[in-house]
């Protein structure tokens, strides 16, 4: 650009070698081999599995996506979330801005952040912009990066690159890109599906004394995998279970679910009041959650055992009545009511493809 040019060049951010090798994904409905752990169709997920070399430190350099929400979670061996860091809590780099702060301009270009990924568990208060991986030396750590509700017109990554890796070895040498991935022994395969042992589930699902589906439907909060089996299939819902949701859950989310049984009828109807959320789908210029009750809300149809998602509807996709209430109709496609459409004021979710998905899974959990 010439010295006398009247145009203004946008400032350049950090120039870090891309690290696509660090991430596996996306996990979503469009990739059948990665459709498990109850993914939400309003989100995209990537996982990183790695072993940190002794004495090394790991840093992620990223850009805030053009989306409703992002987070990074680390996981325990039982697939429950250990620690998480959420978009609004990630301090932007000097000269950049965080578009997830109340009142922020969402479309600014310079939107970079830096995160430290520390080994093990925190001792005391969590440092800013730091995620602990809860892995002991020599053991594999697992992180999951989530992006919810990309702005219309953006790609699965929300219009930015996935976070890049900077690995500093104990010698002080810094590695980037493929060199860093090689030193970290990163995963190249998908995560293993966290299944209940097939023999165990095969017995409890045929328990003649107890059906997890009720007529009328009963909605229950998610606590942990063992309590879910005990409560839903054996009827033992007493006590104060630990809130430690498995299946690579998001620490920022609260989950409630119910079981449906087609023996009760071919059409199920769910009605409720839609919580207030910040509007972002259309690429709104300002992030405004001043009147919001939640950051995100969705309703999904899943196969319980295979953990596959059949379909979801998220907040901005639903049609509501003048009082803010939604009605969701669920049925097999062949028995879908003719008026189950947005023009008639109804939302539609297709019934799960193979019931609980037990027949489609080969092998089983351990």
């Amino acid at each position: 650009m010439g010295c006398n040019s009247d145009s203004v060049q946008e400032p350049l951010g950090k120039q870090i070698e891309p690290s696509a090798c660090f991430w596996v994904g996306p996990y979503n409905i469009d990739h059948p081999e990665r459709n498990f752990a109850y993914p939400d169709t309003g989100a995209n997920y990537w996982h990183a599995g790695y072993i940190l070399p002794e004495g090394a430190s790991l840093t992620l350099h990223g850009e805030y996506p053009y989306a409703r929400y992002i987070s990074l979670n680390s996981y325990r061996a039982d697939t429950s979330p250990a620690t998480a860091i959420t978009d609004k809590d990630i301090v932007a780099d000097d000269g950049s801005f965080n578009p997830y702060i109340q009142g922020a301009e969402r479309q600014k270009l310079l939107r970079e952040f830096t995160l430290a990924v520390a080994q093990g568990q925190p001792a005391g208060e969590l440092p800013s912009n730091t995620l602990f991986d809860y892995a002991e030396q020599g053991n594999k750590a697992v992180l999951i990066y989530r992006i919810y509700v990309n702005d219309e017109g953006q790609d699965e990554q929300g219009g930015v690159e996935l976070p890049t890796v900077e690995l500093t070895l104990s010698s002080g040498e810094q590695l980037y890109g493929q060199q860093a991935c090689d030193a970290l022994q990163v995963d190249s395969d998908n995560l293993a599906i966290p299944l209940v042992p097939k023999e165990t589930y095969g017995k409890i699902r045929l328990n003649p004394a107890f059906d997890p589906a009720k007529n009328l439907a009963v909605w229950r909060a998610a606590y942990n995998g063992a309590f879910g089996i005990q409560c839903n299939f054996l009827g033992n819902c007493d006590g104060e279970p630990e809130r430690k949701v498995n299946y690579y859950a998001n620490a920022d989310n609260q989950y409630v679910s119910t079981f449906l049984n087609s023996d009760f009828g071919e059409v199920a109807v769910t009605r409720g009041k839609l919580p207030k959320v910040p509007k972002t789908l259309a690429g709104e210029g300002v992030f405004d959650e001043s009147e919001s009750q939640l950051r995100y809300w969705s309703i999904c149809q899943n196969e319980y055992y295979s953990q596959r998602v059949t379909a979801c509807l998220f907040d901005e996709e639903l049609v509501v009545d003048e009082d803010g209430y939604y009605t969701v109709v669920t049925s097999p496609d062949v028995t879908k009511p003719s008026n189950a459409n947005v023009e008639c004021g109804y939302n539609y979710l297709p019934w799960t493809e193979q019931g609980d998905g037990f027949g489609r899974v080969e092998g089983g959990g351990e």
Side-chain angles (χ1 to χ4, degrees), residues 24-306:
V24 178
Y27 290 79
N28 58 32
I29 196 172
D30 296 326
H31 297 83
E33 73 281 7
R34 294 195 288 266
N35 182 358
F36 63 87
Y38 309 107
D40 192 315
T41 60
N44 291 293
Y45 315 75
W46 291 263
H47 104 268
Y50 63 89
I51 298 174
L52 190 68
E54 186 172 0
S57 62
L58 179 61
T59 302
L60 299 180
H61 300 276
E63 294 181 272
Y64 302 99
Y66 295 85
R68 170 85 63 81
Y69 162 95
I70 65 167
S71 71
L72 278 136
N73 282 232
S74 62
Y75 288 86
R76 301 180 180 90
D78 66 358
T79 72
S80 66
T83 61
I85 188 163
T86 307
D87 47 38
K88 64 183 178 61
D89 298 321
I90 301 173
V91 180
D93 290 349
D94 290 343
S96 285
F97 83 107
N98 183 335
Y100 298 99
I101 303 299
Q102 170 61 27
E105 296 181 37
R106 298 184 62 249
Q107 303 302 323
K108 284 187 176 180
L109 296 181
L110 204 52
R111 47 202 302 126
E112 297 178 340
F113 62 84
T114 302
L115 290 178
V117 183
Q119 189 173 54
Q121 303 182 30
E125 188 174 345
L126 286 173
S128 63
N129 281 32
T130 302
L131 183 73
F132 283 81
D133 67 12
Y134 271 64
E136 296 182 1
Q137 180 61 52
N139 290 347
K140 185 169 78 169
V142 173
L143 310 179
I144 292 183
Y145 176 55
R146 291 172 165 83
I147 305 177
Y148 284 46
V149 191
N150 295 323
D151 289 5
E152 289 178 336
Q154 299 293 352
D155 60 14
E156 292 173 322
Q157 297 173 193
V160 301
E161 296 296 327
L162 296 174
T164 59
V165 175
E166 175 187 328
L167 178 65
T168 303
L169 302 178
S170 58
S171 64
E173 181 183 5
Q174 293 180 314
L175 302 179
Y176 302 92
Q178 189 62 54
Q179 283 189 318
C181 290
D182 291 343
L184 288 163
Q185 304 174 60
V186 298
D187 282 356
S188 58
D189 296 328
N190 299 328
L191 290 166
I193 304 176
L195 292 169
V196 175
K198 194 167 186 177
E199 182 179 352
T200 300
Y201 183 74
K203 292 178 179 177
I204 61 174
R205 75 191 289 268
L206 297 177
N207 178 11
F210 200 82
D211 186 339
K214 305 298 179 187
N215 192 11
L216 299 168
V218 175
W219 292 85
R220 300 188 188 278
Y223 289 93
N224 59 72
F227 181 80
I229 293 290
Q230 164 190 313
C231 177
N232 292 314
F233 290 90
L234 302 177
N236 183 3
C237 302
D238 296 333
E240 297 181 2
E242 181 181 10
R243 184 65 67 96
K244 189 180 176 184
V245 183
N246 308 95
Y247 307 111
Y248 298 109
N250 185 354
D252 284 338
N253 283 359
Q254 297 294 332
Y255 303 89
V256 295
S257 64
T258 190
F259 288 80
L260 299 178
N261 190 332
S262 59
D263 289 344
F264 299 153
E266 293 183 327
V267 178
V269 178
T270 303
R271 179 171 167 79
K273 190 161 189 178
L274 190 67
K276 295 179 180 179
V277 300
K279 305 295 185 182
T280 61
L281 182 61
E284 280 78 356
V286 175
F287 185 76
D288 184 8
E289 57 179 352
S290 58
E291 297 183 2
S292 298
Q293 297 165 304
L294 299 175
R295 177 71 74 86
Y296 176 82
W297 183 95
S298 69
I299 185 168
C300 298
Q301 272 280 2
N302 297 93
E303 297 175 359
Y304 177 78
Y305 186 71
S306 73

